[in-house]
Amino acid sequence: TGEPAKKENYYHIYYGKLETPITHESTSNKAITHTSNQVGLDFIMRMTTDWTYSFGVSFFSDDNSNLTTAYEKGVSGMMIEGMMGYNLFSFGGNEAEMIFNAGLGTMIAAALNSPMYFKSGLNLTVSENLTIGFNYLGMVTSSDESFKMPSMTSTTLGWKF
């Protein structure tokens, strides 16, 4: 194993895909998979050699037509979140690291009832800058009588600077 990347504070810009099964009256209460494009920016602070804290904001927009026809309109909005990260391992002479993240966030989108969520996942950084991430979002306040969205997944590709 090695030491984590040398910088103490950095920005992380990323592009990703959000996927969620959505159930609504207009879909005859059958789950449809909704996919959205996501663009975001995180500010990450290294607290110790193993622990990080990040605060981020991202924007998402509907990119598949099955939601538009099944749920009347496309969906776009914004996500705000705070995360703690733990460096599971580093390798390659400070060039790469695997971080486990966990935190809370909220999605601001009127069509989705602006749910709060728990988020956890893994992010791999290679060459100290390039990131690949996979996260699971468990919705806390995502259901009402006619609309259900129990979870989401987020797959991202980004750059730290």
Side-chain angles (χ1 to χ4, degrees), residues 12 83 86-89 97-102 119-125 131-136 154-156:
H12 175 229
M83 304 280 287
Y86 181 75
N87 185 34
L88 296 173
F89 57 87
E97 65 183 348
M98 177 68 75
I99 295 180
F100 172 76
N101 290 310
K119 181 176 179 180
S120 65
L122 294 172
N123 287 326
L124 174 65
T125 302
T131 64
I132 301 166
F134 180 80
N135 291 282
Y136 175 82
S154 171
T155 306
T156 60

Side-chain angles (χ1 to χ4, degrees), residues 34-139:
H34 171 60
T35 304
S36 292
N37 290 311
Q38 180 184 29
V39 175
L41 176 69
D42 295 330
F43 177 68
I44 303 171
M45 298 168 279
R46 187 165 296 285
M47 308 302 274
T48 67
T49 51
D50 290 329
W51 289 95
T52 60
Y53 172 75
S54 66
F55 173 78
V57 62
S58 66
F59 298 91
F60 62 92
S61 179
D62 175 44
D63 77 338
N64 72 359
S65 60
N66 71 351
L67 186 67
T68 304
T69 56
Y71 185 61
E72 296 132 19
K73 58 185 173 252
V75 176
S76 60
M78 137 180 177
M79 300 169 83
I80 301 170
E81 58 195 26
M83 304 280 287
M84 290 296 295
Y86 181 75
N87 185 34
L88 296 173
F89 57 87
S90 299
F91 54 93
N94 297 338
E95 294 291 319
E97 65 183 348
M98 177 68 75
I99 295 180
F100 172 76
N101 290 310
L104 294 170
T106 189
M107 180 182 295
I108 301 170
L112 300 177
N113 301 320
S114 297
M116 294 181 65
Y117 56 87
F118 293 109
K119 181 176 179 180
S120 65
L122 294 172
N123 287 326
L124 174 65
T125 302
V126 293
S127 300
E128 287 191 47
N129 299 97
L130 179 64
T131 64
I132 301 166
F134 180 80
N135 291 282
Y136 175 82
L137 290 70
M139 298 301 165

